[in-house]
Amino acid sequence: MPPQPAAAAIQLSDLGAYQHAVRVVLTTDVVTATRPRPGMLEAVLRWADQLSKDLRDHLGYTLIATTRQVRLIRRLDGLDPTQTTIFTAKSGRPFDRRRLAYLCLILASFQRSRVEVSLADLVRAFTPSANAIDGLGFTPTVSAHKAAVVDVLDWLADRGALRLSDGSADAWSADTERGDALYDIDHDICAALFRPARPVQHLTSAAGLLDATYVSAKRGAQREAAAQRAARALLEHPVVYYAQVEPEVAEALRQTGVAENLARLTGLAVERRAEGVLLADAGGRFTDRPFPGRGGAVNRAAGLLLAKIADVLEDPDEAPLLLPLPAESADQRELLEKIDAALPLAGVVTELAWSAPLEEDPDPKRPGGAPPAIDPDPNRADQSADPSRADQNRADPSGRTPPLVPFIADSGLRAMINDLYDELGPASFTVTWQHDPRGLLNAAVAFLADLRLLRRVDAGVLVLPAAARYRNIKAALPVRHAEGQLALDLFGGDISGDISGDTSGDTGGDIDDD
């Protein structure tokens, strides 16, 4: 039996407040009395029952709501390298591997019986664990190690897991012998922050962190599961292309229901095209990557780069090379291979290790029978020399013929960014980038790849269909901002709002030299 429409019990006069609560829950890792701002916890708890039902029925998510915190437990259908902004320091820099490791070790060091801990005691407790890990370690005389600890503690304090009651972490960092800090521990929030799908010490592959909920073979159950996967893909990504997802997910998105329920649930607008579907956010508040027009020089350069690419594609004298668009499953296998290559297996309890589904061909050399992340491709070695052969062997496992999309070579991208510097002047791209056009190009391409507007391939990029949505972006001349940066203008009324979805991180590679 299909679920009721989203927000079915919400009166029209209350729908705006309910949609705001939904957006807060979906964009905030943990909602507390002060996070994301005072008053939001009460606003969310008002709708807790209906929120829990809608998020469970339409997305398969679990909402944990208490009087002190609200946490959404997501089901992961795939790994997403763009979602990294949740782990950032106060400076805005993403956590590196050291900080992520320290975060896990510090959470593991909290004893349930203790309600407060001094920073000196905390460091003494987690240092042996850190030093037992090759390549990690903790030395109190190393400034980088102390800075990483401070960033982790600030991250936990920002979410209410710790509360500073005395002293200062900065004072400890400056002088570990004399400085100290005292923290109160909220064990409930600590437990809510770390909820893996399976115990990580029993994993032989990162694939074990993904959703593997049993689904009945009945047709109705299969359709409902596909609809939930489709809804999660549309909500979590800026745009979903039918050709890149599983056939049953694409079919669910093509039909009315999934996207429309999400639109009513979130207040966003559905945009459908022949190639796919997206949720557009006119307010720009339901995304961690607002585009276009805000976000600094990289955002502006990305918009202008799309306009340059559109000019090339619309030039009747230039016929762009067309290449097949790889399926998402190929990217997932490649990403899993990279993660699993560094996965420590020495401490895995083989008897309790997560095993691959029976239909997969396990590798007996790996503990627990987990499959390798990707089968080696003997034809892959010499593909990089010919971009027309790049990704050709990454076939769609469903047997569908992948669509052909335009290919822009790295040399063409470099010519475009050089033209922009000549046309607008280096000072238009701020002090950070005015002498580094290549670095700005790398950052802009990575940004557009996060938004699923471009896709990095060997020796260039593929231009994805949603990029045409921004073909009329132009520099707004002669208007300048106070800081001397050129604004963006949108002609033709093509843009109705920002692309929504969690699109953080850096997925693009460097622009290669020819």
Side-chain angles (χ1 to χ4, degrees):
M1 180 178 178
Q4 288 184 327
I10 303 298
Q11 298 294 325
L12 186 60
S13 59
D14 292 329
L15 185 59
Y18 180 71
Q19 291 172 340
H20 181 58
V22 171
R23 293 194 295 268
V24 169
V25 168
L26 289 171
T27 56
T28 310
D29 50 358
V30 57
V31 182
T32 65
T34 58
R35 181 177 174 84
R37 56 185 177 274
M40 288 313 307
L41 179 61
E42 293 77 8
V44 170
L45 289 176
R46 174 189 176 191
W47 309 103
D49 292 341
Q50 184 67 39
L51 276 170
S52 180
K53 182 179 186 304
D54 281 339
L55 294 171
R56 180 184 64 248
D57 291 348
H58 297 284
L59 294 160
Y61 292 164
T62 300
L63 187 73
I64 299 176
T66 70
T67 57
R68 299 177 56 247
Q69 50 104 0
V70 174
R71 175 83 160 98
L72 184 65
I73 307 300
R74 286 172 159 86
R75 288 168 60 180
L76 301 179
D77 298 303
L79 301 176
D80 185 358
T82 71
Q83 296 192 25
T84 60
T85 57
I86 185 175
F87 297 108
T88 54
K90 282 185 175 181
S91 62
R93 293 178 62 87
F95 274 16
D96 55 15
R97 289 180 294 178
R98 178 176 299 279
R99 283 163 173 78
L100 290 171
Y102 282 0
L103 174 60
C104 294
L105 293 176
I106 287 174
L107 282 172
S109 70
F110 291 153
Q111 298 180 14
R112 193 77 189 184
S113 60
R114 299 189 64 172
V115 296
E116 65 177 13
V117 63
S118 71
L119 181 48
D121 288 343
L122 180 61
V123 169
R124 279 192 290 269
F126 100 93
T127 295
S129 299
N131 289 333
I133 299 174
D134 292 338
L136 183 63
F138 175 81
T139 303
T141 57
V142 177
S143 298
H145 291 187
K146 293 187 290 184
V149 170
V150 172
D151 285 343
V152 168
L153 296 178
D154 287 342
W155 188 91
L156 290 169
D158 187 45
R159 284 149 183 81
L162 295 177
R163 186 180 67 85
L164 182 65
S165 59
D166 192 18
S168 166
D170 291 333
W172 169 85
S173 180
D175 187 348
T176 56
E177 296 295 330
R178 299 180 180 180
D180 203 353
L182 185 65
Y183 290 94
D184 296 329
I185 306 173
D186 190 319
H187 290 284
D188 292 338
I189 293 180
C190 289
L193 288 175
F194 187 65
R195 296 283 296 253
R198 295 178 177 87
V200 293
Q201 66 269 30
H202 297 160
L203 293 182
T204 56
S205 170
L209 296 173
L210 304 180
D211 179 62
T213 304
Y214 170 77
V215 179
S216 169
K218 294 182 178 179
R219 184 174 301 177
Q222 293 288 333
R223 281 199 299 266
E224 183 178 345
Q228 286 189 350
R229 292 202 307 276
R232 292 194 289 267
L234 185 56
L235 188 72
E236 300 292 351
H237 299 292
V239 58
V240 179
Y241 299 109
Y242 299 139
Q244 286 195 295
V245 297
E246 300 157 315
E248 58 270 22
V249 172
E251 181 62 24
L253 288 171
R254 285 192 176 98
Q255 298 176 358
T256 58
V258 171
E260 287 70 21
N261 272 322
L262 285 183
R264 179 173 173 81
L265 189 63
T266 62
L268 306 185
V270 180
E271 287 192 16
R272 294 183 181 274
R273 298 291 187 270
E275 302 88 356
V277 60
L278 61 83
L279 294 176
D281 177 19
R285 298 180 179 178
F286 193 63
T287 177
D288 54 0
R289 289 296 185 90
F291 180 77
R294 301 189 302 278
V298 173
N299 193 307
R300 281 184 286 274
L304 296 172
L305 189 64
L306 285 184
K308 287 286 187 183
I309 290 174
D311 290 342
V312 171
L313 299 183
E314 293 173 359
D315 187 346
D317 297 329
E318 292 192 28
L321 176 66
L322 300 179
L323 296 180
L325 178 62
E328 285 186 5
S329 56
D331 294 330
Q332 284 292 303
R333 290 195 300 271
E334 193 169 290
L335 183 57
L336 281 170
E337 181 187 43
K338 292 178 179 178
I339 296 174
D340 290 350
L343 193 66
L345 300 178
V348 173
V349 181
T350 305
E351 293 77 12
L352 300 177
W354 171 79
S355 299
L358 294 178
E359 63 268 22
E360 297 188 29
D361 183 19
D363 184 349
K365 295 181 181 180
R366 292 180 66 85
I374 186 172
D375 293 329
D377 184 352
N379 299 320
R380 192 172 178 81
D382 52 358
Q383 287 176 351
S384 59
D386 183 0
S388 65
R389 289 174 53 87
D391 296 303
Q392 292 276 359
N393 291 319
R394 301 174 67 181
D396 188 334
S398 66
R400 295 173 296 176
T401 301
L404 300 178
V405 295
F407 169 80
I408 304 293
D410 285 339
S411 58
L413 294 173
R414 290 196 297 273
M416 293 176 192
I417 197 69
N418 290 337
D419 287 345
L420 289 174
Y421 270 65
D422 292 340
E423 294 169 10
L424 305 178
S428 299
F429 299 101
T430 72
V431 175
T432 303
W433 302 107
Q434 63 180 348
H435 300 301
D436 187 14
R438 188 68 57 83
L440 181 58
L441 177 60
N442 289 332
V445 168
F447 179 76
L448 293 171
D450 289 348
L451 294 178
R452 296 191 170 191
L453 302 177
L454 300 180
R455 186 190 188 280
R456 286 293 289 154
V457 293
D458 293 333
V461 298
L462 299 179
V463 184
L464 303 186
R469 190 173 183 267
Y470 301 93
R471 63 186 177 276
N472 291 325
I473 289 181
K474 302 292 181 184
L477 298 173
V479 179
R480 288 179 181 268
H481 291 300
E483 67 272 24
Q485 299 176 19
L486 292 170
L488 291 179
D489 194 13
L490 308 174
F491 299 102
D494 282 20
I495 311 302
S496 60
D498 292 313
I499 286 181
S500 70
D502 290 329
T503 57
S504 60
D506 184 358
T507 61
D510 289 340
I511 304 299
D512 298 325
D513 289 318
D514 284 339

